[in-house]
PDB file of all heavy atoms in Angstrom:
ATOM      1  N   PHE A 374     -79.651 138.197 -15.346  1.00  0.00           N
ATOM      2  CA  PHE A 374     -79.027 139.396 -14.837  1.00  0.00           C
ATOM      3  C   PHE A 374     -79.978 140.172 -13.891  1.00  0.00           C
ATOM      4  O   PHE A 374     -79.612 140.617 -12.802  1.00  0.00           O
ATOM      5  CB  PHE A 374     -78.557 140.343 -15.994  1.00  0.00           C
ATOM      6  CG  PHE A 374     -78.164 141.693 -15.503  1.00  0.00           C
ATOM      7  CD1 PHE A 374     -77.000 141.875 -14.830  1.00  0.00           C
ATOM      8  CD2 PHE A 374     -79.081 142.745 -15.622  1.00  0.00           C
ATOM      9  CE1 PHE A 374     -76.656 143.113 -14.272  1.00  0.00           C
ATOM     10  CE2 PHE A 374     -78.743 143.985 -15.094  1.00  0.00           C
ATOM     11  CZ  PHE A 374     -77.527 144.209 -14.424  1.00  0.00           C
ATOM     12  N   VAL A 375     -81.225 140.357 -14.331  1.00  0.00           N
ATOM     13  CA  VAL A 375     -82.165 141.168 -13.521  1.00  0.00           C
ATOM     14  C   VAL A 375     -82.435 140.479 -12.188  1.00  0.00           C
ATOM     15  O   VAL A 375     -82.465 141.140 -11.159  1.00  0.00           O
ATOM     16  CB  VAL A 375     -83.473 141.404 -14.311  1.00  0.00           C
ATOM     17  CG1 VAL A 375     -84.493 142.239 -13.436  1.00  0.00           C
ATOM     18  CG2 VAL A 375     -83.254 142.169 -15.574  1.00  0.00           C
ATOM     19  N   LEU A 376     -82.538 139.184 -12.237  1.00  0.00           N
ATOM     20  CA  LEU A 376     -82.775 138.482 -10.944  1.00  0.00           C
ATOM     21  C   LEU A 376     -81.561 138.532 -10.028  1.00  0.00           C
ATOM     22  O   LEU A 376     -81.679 138.681  -8.806  1.00  0.00           O
ATOM     23  CB  LEU A 376     -83.146 136.979 -11.189  1.00  0.00           C
ATOM     24  CG  LEU A 376     -84.541 136.791 -11.819  1.00  0.00           C
ATOM     25  CD1 LEU A 376     -84.775 135.247 -11.993  1.00  0.00           C
ATOM     26  CD2 LEU A 376     -85.659 137.384 -11.015  1.00  0.00           C
ATOM     27  N   ALA A 377     -80.372 138.413 -10.610  1.00  0.00           N
ATOM     28  CA  ALA A 377     -79.126 138.479  -9.817  1.00  0.00           C
ATOM     29  C   ALA A 377     -79.052 139.888  -9.171  1.00  0.00           C
ATOM     30  O   ALA A 377     -78.705 140.056  -8.009  1.00  0.00           O
ATOM     31  CB  ALA A 377     -77.876 138.249 -10.671  1.00  0.00           C
ATOM     32  N   GLN A 378     -79.404 140.894  -9.949  1.00  0.00           N
ATOM     33  CA  GLN A 378     -79.435 142.280  -9.442  1.00  0.00           C
ATOM     34  C   GLN A 378     -80.397 142.425  -8.288  1.00  0.00           C
ATOM     35  O   GLN A 378     -80.062 142.973  -7.203  1.00  0.00           O
ATOM     36  CB  GLN A 378     -79.787 143.190 -10.584  1.00  0.00           C
ATOM     37  CG  GLN A 378     -79.503 144.634 -10.331  1.00  0.00           C
ATOM     38  CD  GLN A 378     -80.016 145.491 -11.499  1.00  0.00           C
ATOM     39  OE1 GLN A 378     -81.182 145.369 -11.907  1.00  0.00           O
ATOM     40  NE2 GLN A 378     -79.158 146.336 -12.033  1.00  0.00           N
ATOM     41  N   ALA A 379     -81.559 141.847  -8.474  1.00  0.00           N
ATOM     42  CA  ALA A 379     -82.635 141.958  -7.469  1.00  0.00           C
ATOM     43  C   ALA A 379     -82.219 141.172  -6.168  1.00  0.00           C
ATOM     44  O   ALA A 379     -82.483 141.611  -5.016  1.00  0.00           O
ATOM     45  CB  ALA A 379     -83.961 141.472  -7.979  1.00  0.00           C
ATOM     46  N   PHE A 380     -81.563 140.017  -6.375  1.00  0.00           N
ATOM     47  CA  PHE A 380     -81.068 139.261  -5.228  1.00  0.00           C
ATOM     48  C   PHE A 380     -80.084 140.051  -4.398  1.00  0.00           C
ATOM     49  O   PHE A 380     -80.155 140.151  -3.184  1.00  0.00           O
ATOM     50  CB  PHE A 380     -80.435 137.986  -5.673  1.00  0.00           C
ATOM     51  CG  PHE A 380     -81.198 136.724  -5.510  1.00  0.00           C
ATOM     52  CD1 PHE A 380     -82.025 136.230  -6.542  1.00  0.00           C
ATOM     53  CD2 PHE A 380     -81.195 136.029  -4.313  1.00  0.00           C
ATOM     54  CE1 PHE A 380     -82.740 135.107  -6.376  1.00  0.00           C
ATOM     55  CE2 PHE A 380     -81.908 134.847  -4.137  1.00  0.00           C
ATOM     56  CZ  PHE A 380     -82.719 134.369  -5.189  1.00  0.00           C
ATOM     57  N   LEU A 381     -79.172 140.655  -5.106  1.00  0.00           N
ATOM     58  CA  LEU A 381     -78.103 141.410  -4.404  1.00  0.00           C
ATOM     59  C   LEU A 381     -78.661 142.654  -3.742  1.00  0.00           C
ATOM     60  O   LEU A 381     -78.206 143.026  -2.640  1.00  0.00           O
ATOM     61  CB  LEU A 381     -76.975 141.820  -5.404  1.00  0.00           C
ATOM     62  CG  LEU A 381     -76.044 140.627  -5.716  1.00  0.00           C
ATOM     63  CD1 LEU A 381     -75.211 140.895  -6.920  1.00  0.00           C
ATOM     64  CD2 LEU A 381     -75.174 140.232  -4.540  1.00  0.00           C
ATOM     65  N   GLU A 382     -79.684 143.258  -4.339  1.00  0.00           N
ATOM     66  CA  GLU A 382     -80.320 144.426  -3.698  1.00  0.00           C
ATOM     67  C   GLU A 382     -80.971 143.986  -2.363  1.00  0.00           C
ATOM     68  O   GLU A 382     -80.824 144.706  -1.382  1.00  0.00           O
ATOM     69  CB  GLU A 382     -81.428 144.899  -4.571  1.00  0.00           C
ATOM     70  CG  GLU A 382     -81.052 146.094  -5.478  1.00  0.00           C
ATOM     71  CD  GLU A 382     -82.111 146.234  -6.489  1.00  0.00           C
ATOM     72  OE1 GLU A 382     -83.320 145.951  -6.287  1.00  0.00           O
ATOM     73  OE2 GLU A 382     -81.698 146.639  -7.626  1.00  0.00           O
ATOM     74  N   LYS A 383     -81.638 142.872  -2.399  1.00  0.00           N
ATOM     75  CA  LYS A 383     -82.399 142.502  -1.210  1.00  0.00           C
ATOM     76  C   LYS A 383     -81.512 141.858  -0.133  1.00  0.00           C
ATOM     77  O   LYS A 383     -81.647 142.153   1.068  1.00  0.00           O
ATOM     78  CB  LYS A 383     -83.523 141.501  -1.570  1.00  0.00           C
ATOM     79  CG  LYS A 383     -84.328 141.063  -0.373  1.00  0.00           C
ATOM     80  CD  LYS A 383     -85.736 140.633  -0.730  1.00  0.00           C
ATOM     81  CE  LYS A 383     -86.514 140.075   0.471  1.00  0.00           C
ATOM     82  NZ  LYS A 383     -86.611 141.045   1.543  1.00  0.00           N
ATOM     83  N   PHE A 384     -80.517 141.076  -0.542  1.00  0.00           N
ATOM     84  CA  PHE A 384     -79.802 140.288   0.431  1.00  0.00           C
ATOM     85  C   PHE A 384     -78.320 140.796   0.643  1.00  0.00           C
ATOM     86  O   PHE A 384     -77.712 140.395   1.601  1.00  0.00           O
ATOM     87  CB  PHE A 384     -79.774 138.807   0.080  1.00  0.00           C
ATOM     88  CG  PHE A 384     -81.167 138.236  -0.089  1.00  0.00           C
ATOM     89  CD1 PHE A 384     -81.695 137.878  -1.314  1.00  0.00           C
ATOM     90  CD2 PHE A 384     -82.010 138.199   1.007  1.00  0.00           C
ATOM     91  CE1 PHE A 384     -83.015 137.434  -1.447  1.00  0.00           C
ATOM     92  CE2 PHE A 384     -83.322 137.742   0.920  1.00  0.00           C
ATOM     93  CZ  PHE A 384     -83.800 137.343  -0.356  1.00  0.00           C
ATOM     94  N   GLY A 385     -77.871 141.591  -0.267  1.00  0.00           N
ATOM     95  CA  GLY A 385     -76.527 142.212  -0.136  1.00  0.00           C
ATOM     96  C   GLY A 385     -75.439 141.196  -0.031  1.00  0.00           C
ATOM     97  O   GLY A 385     -75.636 140.002  -0.365  1.00  0.00           O
ATOM     98  N   GLY A 386     -74.296 141.626   0.368  1.00  0.00           N
ATOM     99  CA  GLY A 386     -73.164 140.696   0.572  1.00  0.00           C
ATOM    100  C   GLY A 386     -72.054 141.025  -0.403  1.00  0.00           C
ATOM    101  O   GLY A 386     -72.279 141.110  -1.603  1.00  0.00           O
ATOM    102  N   ASP A 387     -70.824 141.099   0.124  1.00  0.00           N
ATOM    103  CA  ASP A 387     -69.659 141.321  -0.709  1.00  0.00           C
ATOM    104  C   ASP A 387     -69.071 140.013  -1.210  1.00  0.00           C
ATOM    105  O   ASP A 387     -68.290 140.007  -2.143  1.00  0.00           O
ATOM    106  CB  ASP A 387     -68.637 142.116   0.073  1.00  0.00           C
ATOM    107  CG  ASP A 387     -69.112 143.461   0.428  1.00  0.00           C
ATOM    108  OD1 ASP A 387     -69.549 144.198  -0.475  1.00  0.00           O
ATOM    109  OD2 ASP A 387     -69.160 143.794   1.658  1.00  0.00           O
ATOM    110  N   CYS A 388     -69.469 138.927  -0.545  1.00  0.00           N
ATOM    111  CA  CYS A 388     -68.933 137.618  -0.947  1.00  0.00           C
ATOM    112  C   CYS A 388     -70.137 136.633  -0.904  1.00  0.00           C
ATOM    113  O   CYS A 388     -71.146 136.899  -0.303  1.00  0.00           O
ATOM    114  CB  CYS A 388     -67.838 137.186  -0.089  1.00  0.00           C
ATOM    115  SG  CYS A 388     -68.317 136.990   1.648  1.00  0.00           S
ATOM    116  N   MET A 389     -69.928 135.502  -1.583  1.00  0.00           N
ATOM    117  CA  MET A 389     -71.003 134.536  -1.694  1.00  0.00           C
ATOM    118  C   MET A 389     -71.470 133.992  -0.385  1.00  0.00           C
ATOM    119  O   MET A 389     -72.674 133.786  -0.171  1.00  0.00           O
ATOM    120  CB  MET A 389     -70.576 133.416  -2.620  1.00  0.00           C
ATOM    121  CG  MET A 389     -70.572 133.745  -4.130  1.00  0.00           C
ATOM    122  SD  MET A 389     -72.106 134.410  -4.726  1.00  0.00           S
ATOM    123  CE  MET A 389     -73.179 133.049  -4.631  1.00  0.00           C
ATOM    124  N   ILE A 390     -70.503 133.791   0.549  1.00  0.00           N
ATOM    125  CA  ILE A 390     -70.922 133.279   1.856  1.00  0.00           C
ATOM    126  C   ILE A 390     -71.915 134.192   2.565  1.00  0.00           C
ATOM    127  O   ILE A 390     -72.879 133.780   3.114  1.00  0.00           O
ATOM    128  CB  ILE A 390     -69.645 133.045   2.754  1.00  0.00           C
ATOM    129  CG1 ILE A 390     -68.833 131.864   2.200  1.00  0.00           C
ATOM    130  CG2 ILE A 390     -70.005 132.812   4.192  1.00  0.00           C
ATOM    131  CD1 ILE A 390     -67.562 131.594   3.017  1.00  0.00           C
ATOM    132  N   GLU A 391     -71.555 135.468   2.462  1.00  0.00           N
ATOM    133  CA  GLU A 391     -72.449 136.437   3.144  1.00  0.00           C
ATOM    134  C   GLU A 391     -73.823 136.485   2.459  1.00  0.00           C
ATOM    135  O   GLU A 391     -74.853 136.541   3.095  1.00  0.00           O
ATOM    136  CB  GLU A 391     -71.733 137.832   3.039  1.00  0.00           C
ATOM    137  CG  GLU A 391     -72.389 138.903   3.879  1.00  0.00           C
ATOM    138  CD  GLU A 391     -71.623 140.264   3.739  1.00  0.00           C
ATOM    139  OE1 GLU A 391     -70.783 140.396   2.904  1.00  0.00           O
ATOM    140  OE2 GLU A 391     -72.000 141.122   4.579  1.00  0.00           O
TER     141      GLU A 391
END
Side-chain angles (χ1 to χ4, degrees):
F374 169 74
V375 178
L376 290 181
Q378 195 185 50
F380 256 93
L381 284 167
E382 261 166 34
K383 180 155 175 59
F384 304 112
D387 296 306
C388 60
M389 286 304 293
I390 289 179
E391 192 180 9

